[in-house]
Amino acid sequence: MIHAEPKRTLITAALPYANGPVHIGHLAGCYLPADIYARYLRLCGKETLFVCGSDEHGVAITLKAKKEGITPQQLVDKYHTLMKESFEQFGISFDIYHRTSEKLHAETASDFFKVMYDKGGFIEKTEEQYYDAEQKQFLADRYITGTCPRCGNAGAYGDQCEKCGTSLSPKDLINPRSAISGNTPVLKTTSHWYLPLDRLQETFLNDYINQHKDDWKVNVYGQCKSWLDAGLQPRAITRDLDWGVPVPVKGAEGKVLYVWFDAPIGYVSATKAWCEANGKNWHDYWDKNSGTRLLHFIGKDNIVFHCLIFPAILHAQGEFVLPDNVPANEFLNLEGDKISTSRNWAVWLHEYLHDFPGREDELRYVLTSIAPETKDSDFSWKDYQQRVNSELVSILGNFINRVMVLTWKFFDGKVPAYNAAYHTQDQQYRKELKYGFHVMEEALRHFRFREAQSELINMARMGNKYLAELEPWHLIKTDKEKTASVLHVGLQIAAALSIAGRPFLPKTADKIAFLLNLTFDKKLWDVHFFESLEFLGAGHQLNEASILFKPIEDEEVQKQTDRLEQIKKDNESKTATQPTALNAVKADITYDDFDKIDLRVGKILEAERVPKADKLLKLTVDLGFEKRTILSGIAEYYKPEELVGKLVTVVANLAPRKIRGIESQGMLLMAGNDFGKLYSVGPEQDIEPGSVVK
RNA sequence: CGCGGAGUGGAGCAGUGGUAGCUCGUUGGGCUCAUAACCCAAAGGUCCCAGGUUCGAGUCCUGGCUCCGCAACCA
């Protein structure tokens, strides 16, 4: 969209869910780009507000709290504090880092709901749901366990059986029980409010998304388009739960707003909180006609919520400004594997800050260099070391140090005078620097932070080149005046780096400014400023030279990769310990029950992958008396060729079932758990296929 | 034919129909102010494949192959 210059910019970064610490994937995905952009706008003197906060509601929080034996509030307090402190130390320049468990947020979300409710913006649907009479509460899907109608697993959840993976609805469960009390729940009617996304798609979203076909990133637009093409469905925005923002309607006691309705409103409540503390009016930031430009920085997993659902909510509410752009990033992998909180496969921010004190900018630099702006990218410690050592240390740090040391050596640490007679010498460099600055600015405006940052390093590179060409260490012997001129320009380049580097490397920029003894009392990022390339006057006293970056040693990198190796091993060996601790023994069965199962030894004759299925193998198994086709979800753990000839245990009388169009006539017994590898269970010695297992 | 993204020198990426480029790495040279850092140069590419549009395709179109997410599948 083509805009008039916005009055102000409101930047939001995805609210991190308060059930774990922040990792490098979060940083590269949205917090760093948002921070760079916010810092850039502020330097330009533009009115900017950068808000974020912890997302603290939802069933996942209550479940995790229960597991840890603490209250949801205690759980979110713990992670909120951890995240807030890590962000701060890392230098993410939120104007406010709020949280959704604050009273102010509840009021805001509540008001928001009420306005929409009064307008008839929701559809109310009444359904029967399970209710725990003793605990006097409705049971969320996850709070109901029972026997899976598909596979007979007694520990299936109301939304899914984790044994066979079937997605369920609570009413499908045989013999349902409340996970809280163990009681048998009763069906009771309850009503919920739905956001009519189908209707909103027709009246609003189709046009809204289409409008942004050209100014949104292709991956973002593409993702939205595919959701719209599939057709949106009404979505429930309330839940029967006691953790969250209460639904502000009479008769809705015990109901809270669904976390996905309440979380983005957290942007609004964070803004309010900041405005209250700073004597501002929050309406200036959120009102439809406020002239505010709203930007959501998120990771790709959030696209549907920020590009479709939240705008739909804002539109339906009617008084709010809509997102102008949603620059979503793809995902960052770690050493080739997907980052995973549950598998502990991550570089945690708080651990990095602890292991690499004072090296925040190094991580910022690397993460911005490899930011997954257009496609998934990969972080590796070796790459981290290489980028820091060969770019930050060798090019940027070294240039600053050279120019500092030379000035102290030849001019007692005072900025020497420029002599226009030597103008032709540095004209070309001035031109290129100005051009580089221009490129950087263009890139920043279009959220291409990787490119913008690499331009910064290019400027430092030019500085090095300038010194190498003019050789002030030779010149000083023959022409002091010219040497003065050369160093004068060199120092201006250093100053330019300190300013241009602020959005990317704030702590380094401050250090350079300190070395140069440089202070500014007006807005820093001004085109004319860079035109003149005069930041330091002749005679200005510099501080003592000191080193900007230390190289990352091999041992430090080794330590980190060893740690990751260890985690990999731990995940694999969890098979032995975790499941027994986690999964309680199922209810007793009689011998007769057991006797119903016909277990046989089978020999795998053939094995092949099932097309278009990640986990499924199609096996031909010899049971002695006959050959069976059996499908098994073990493709991640076994290669087909490894299995041929293997003896395995087969449930021979399991009712046949069609999986992806192929009938599976039995089941292979495997040992393992959710985390680690699966191991087939077979006889120790070679034995006839078809032998009975008892 | 589920949905979306992506395939470009050893690695990571840029590339708007008009001479394929950048950073790292490698090799050779220069310099010695500087953190064994800096500067210059060279080698290294059937731009996934096959068709098509065009005077001209890495770029546009069609078909195929491969990779990554999501979905599905899973015990």
Side-chain angles (χ1 to χ4, degrees):
Chain A
M1 255 204 297
I2 295 161
H3 292 270
E5 176 78 1
K7 279 199 185 127
R8 61 189 71 77
T9 306
L10 176 58
I11 297 172
T12 76
L15 303 185
Y17 201 52
N19 71 340
V22 176
H23 58 62
I24 53 169
H26 297 127
L27 296 174
C30 70
Y31 303 107
L32 264 179
D35 186 59
I36 291 170
Y37 197 71
R39 285 174 185 272
Y40 161 64
L41 289 184
R42 289 188 199 117
L43 279 175
C44 292
K46 304 241 165 79
E47 190 181 343
T48 307
L49 187 66
F50 181 21
V51 303
C52 192
S54 303
D55 174 13
E56 306 183 319
H57 292 143
V59 188
I61 298 269
T62 63
L63 285 178
K64 177 145 188 172
K66 209 176 154 90
K67 207 163 151 189
E68 293 189 10
I70 53 179
T71 65
Q73 189 64 53
Q74 285 171 322
L75 182 88
V76 300
D77 284 350
K78 173 173 135 191
Y79 286 116
H80 172 75
T81 311
L82 179 62
M83 292 194 290
K84 189 176 173 171
E85 283 171 0
S86 315
F87 278 137
E88 221 169 275
Q89 196 185 337
F90 188 54
I92 301 293
S93 61
F94 298 130
D95 289 298
I96 181 166
Y97 187 78
H98 203 241
R99 52 193 309 191
T100 62
S101 66
E102 286 276 339
K103 195 173 154 225
L104 177 67
H105 173 72
E107 289 165 9
T108 308
S110 204
D111 287 350
F112 206 102
F113 180 93
K114 251 186 279 177
V115 172
M116 287 180 73
Y117 179 83
D118 291 342
K119 278 187 161 183
F122 300 126
I123 304 167
E124 189 174 353
K125 283 191 194 172
T126 305
E127 304 161 306
E128 287 193 314
Q129 245 194 328
Y130 278 117
Y131 181 79
D132 188 324
E134 184 188 285
Q135 297 285 318
K136 295 204 173 82
Q137 63 173 286
F138 279 96
L139 298 167
D141 294 355
R142 277 262 139 181
Y143 277 129
I144 302 163
T145 60
T147 304
C148 172
R150 262 270 172 71
C151 69
N153 164 34
Y157 291 106
D159 57 346
Q160 196 189 28
C161 169
E162 302 208 326
K163 266 268 141 50
C164 68
T166 316
S167 50
L168 302 167
S169 129
K171 282 189 239 173
D172 297 336
L173 292 175
I174 301 160
N175 188 20
R177 288 185 319 278
S178 161
I180 303 167
S181 62
N183 298 327
T184 302
V186 294
L187 278 171
K188 194 170 160 180
T189 51
T190 178
S191 46
H192 282 288
W193 287 274
Y194 285 71
L195 185 68
L197 284 169
D198 48 341
R199 207 165 72 203
L200 287 162
Q201 170 170 3
E202 291 307 316
T203 56
F204 166 65
L205 281 172
N206 284 338
D207 289 343
Y208 174 67
I209 294 301
N210 199 36
Q211 233 174 25
H212 290 294
K213 190 174 178 164
D214 298 318
D215 65 332
W216 284 11
K217 291 170 70 169
V218 275
N219 55 335
V220 176
Y221 174 79
Q223 194 71 249
C224 293
K225 196 75 183 33
S226 93
W227 276 86
L228 291 178
D229 289 347
L232 299 178
Q233 298 302 314
R235 220 179 159 99
I237 50 147
T238 54
R239 288 284 189 276
D240 286 304
L241 193 69
D242 60 1
W243 177 244
V245 177
V247 176
V249 174
K250 242 190 161 179
E253 288 74 23
K255 293 183 202 301
V256 297
L257 300 180
Y258 179 39
V259 65
W260 262 113
F261 181 83
D262 115 276
I265 297 174
Y267 299 140
V268 180
S269 45
T271 309
K272 276 189 182 174
W274 181 84
C275 285
E276 274 181 18
N278 290 275
K280 294 276 170 68
N281 182 354
W282 71 272
H283 288 283
D284 291 343
Y285 290 88
W286 280 98
D287 273 16
K288 206 179 189 171
N289 299 316
S290 59
T292 295
R293 179 174 186 231
L294 175 61
L295 298 175
H296 295 308
F297 282 82
I298 56 168
K300 70 173 165 188
D301 50 332
N302 270 334
I303 288 176
V304 63
F305 295 103
H306 285 80
C307 299
L308 300 175
I309 299 179
F310 191 46
I313 292 173
L314 291 171
H315 170 80
Q317 202 276 357
E319 299 163 9
F320 284 74
V321 69
L322 296 173
D324 181 72
N325 206 332
V326 185
N329 271 353
E330 303 285 305
F331 281 154
L332 182 73
N333 293 324
L334 171 58
E335 305 281 358
D337 281 327
K338 220 172 120 175
I339 292 179
S340 159
T341 303
S342 61
R343 291 197 341 263
N344 193 22
W345 189 252
V347 174
W348 304 104
L349 178 56
H350 65 285
E351 290 185 2
Y352 177 89
L353 294 171
H354 177 266
D355 292 352
F356 295 90
R359 285 176 167 176
E360 293 84 8
D361 279 0
E362 281 85 334
L363 185 60
R364 285 179 71 109
Y365 177 78
V366 172
L367 290 179
T368 299
S369 299
I370 60 169
E373 287 176 5
T374 55
K375 56 183 169 190
D376 290 358
S377 60
D378 190 49
F379 178 94
S380 80
W381 281 106
K382 203 174 155 247
D383 177 71
Y384 164 87
Q385 178 190 29
Q386 196 182 65
R387 284 179 191 275
V388 170
N389 291 357
S390 67
E391 293 168 28
L392 284 183
V393 176
S394 302
I395 295 171
L396 178 58
N398 189 37
F399 169 68
I400 300 293
N401 194 43
R402 293 173 84 181
V403 85
M404 288 296 298
V405 168
L406 285 167
T407 306
W408 272 101
K409 248 184 197 163
F410 304 148
F411 298 98
D412 299 326
K414 289 193 180 61
V415 177
Y418 183 65
N419 187 330
Y422 305 109
H423 187 62
T424 44
Q425 303 273 2
D426 47 66
Q427 212 172 10
Q428 188 57 28
Y429 287 93
R430 286 173 186 276
K431 213 170 126 192
E432 282 180 28
L433 279 167
K434 271 184 239 168
Y435 180 70
F437 174 70
H438 172 75
V439 169
M440 179 191 270
E441 183 145 53
E442 270 305 296
L444 280 169
R445 281 209 193 112
H446 294 96
F447 312 116
R448 296 192 307 259
F449 304 111
R450 220 172 34 193
E451 181 187 340
Q453 187 182 252
S454 88
E455 210 47 52
L456 179 74
I457 297 300
N458 270 339
M459 290 186 188
R461 203 171 263 130
M462 257 180 259
N464 278 318
K465 201 172 157 181
Y466 178 68
L467 291 182
E469 194 174 309
L470 277 298
E471 299 182 309
W473 53 92
H474 275 166
L475 267 182
I476 191 69
K477 294 171 200 155
T478 55
D479 189 344
K480 186 153 186 184
E481 206 175 309
K482 187 172 178 186
T483 311
S485 225
V486 168
L487 284 181
H488 181 93
V489 172
L491 285 165
Q492 307 306 332
I493 296 174
L497 288 171
S498 149
I499 298 167
R502 292 186 101 75
F504 311 96
L505 308 169
K507 299 197 180 185
T508 303
D510 280 347
K511 270 190 231 163
I512 299 174
F514 174 77
L515 292 175
L516 297 175
N517 193 15
L518 182 65
T519 45
F520 292 92
D521 49 3
K522 56 176 182 171
K523 79 175 179 187
L524 294 173
W525 194 296
D526 187 304
V527 182
H528 303 297
F529 227 20
F530 281 85
E531 282 293 319
S532 70
L533 210 68
E534 272 299 306
F535 307 95
L536 300 161
H540 175 82
Q541 179 64 51
L542 306 180
N543 282 313
E544 296 264 337
S546 77
I547 298 261
L548 277 185
F549 299 106
K550 279 185 303 179
I552 305 287
E553 302 296 334
D554 290 347
E555 300 81 64
E556 297 175 273
V557 164
Q558 194 59 44
K559 210 175 119 194
Q560 296 298 327
T561 47
D562 285 351
R563 196 193 124 243
L564 289 174
E565 277 297 311
Q566 191 56 46
I567 286 166
K568 234 181 198 155
K569 275 186 205 149
D570 288 352
N571 282 338
E572 274 162 27
S573 66
K574 262 184 189 164
T575 323
T577 51
Q578 285 273 6
T580 39
L582 283 178
N583 303 344
V585 174
K586 296 176 196 168
D588 289 350
I589 57 169
T590 63
Y591 179 80
D592 287 347
D593 289 334
F594 168 72
D595 196 45
K596 287 178 192 162
I597 304 170
D598 192 339
L599 296 173
R600 300 296 183 104
V601 172
K603 184 171 189 171
I604 296 177
L605 300 177
E606 294 165 30
E608 57 178 299
R609 296 195 68 131
V610 175
K612 300 210 168 193
D614 290 347
K615 304 187 181 177
L616 227 44
L617 287 185
K618 181 183 165 192
L619 309 169
T620 306
V621 183
D622 183 3
L623 287 185
F625 52 94
E626 64 178 11
K627 286 175 189 159
R628 296 272 187 93
T629 299
I630 295 178
L631 294 184
S632 187
I634 54 173
E636 286 174 298
Y637 314 106
Y638 284 101
K639 289 191 185 122
E641 58 270 23
E642 292 176 342
L643 284 167
V644 174
K646 224 179 175 70
L647 290 175
V648 292
T649 312
V650 175
V651 182
N653 63 339
L654 188 71
R657 180 186 156 196
K658 265 200 171 180
I659 301 170
R660 287 194 82 84
I662 305 165
E663 188 174 83
S664 178
Q665 305 155 326
M667 190 171 98
L668 250 56
L669 294 192
M670 305 293 285
N673 72 348
D674 297 343
F675 300 104
K677 191 176 151 69
L678 289 176
Y679 300 93
S680 73
V681 180
E684 271 178 12
Q685 307 271 326
D686 264 10
I687 185 170
E688 270 313 275
S691 302
V692 177
V693 179
K694 50 189 175 182

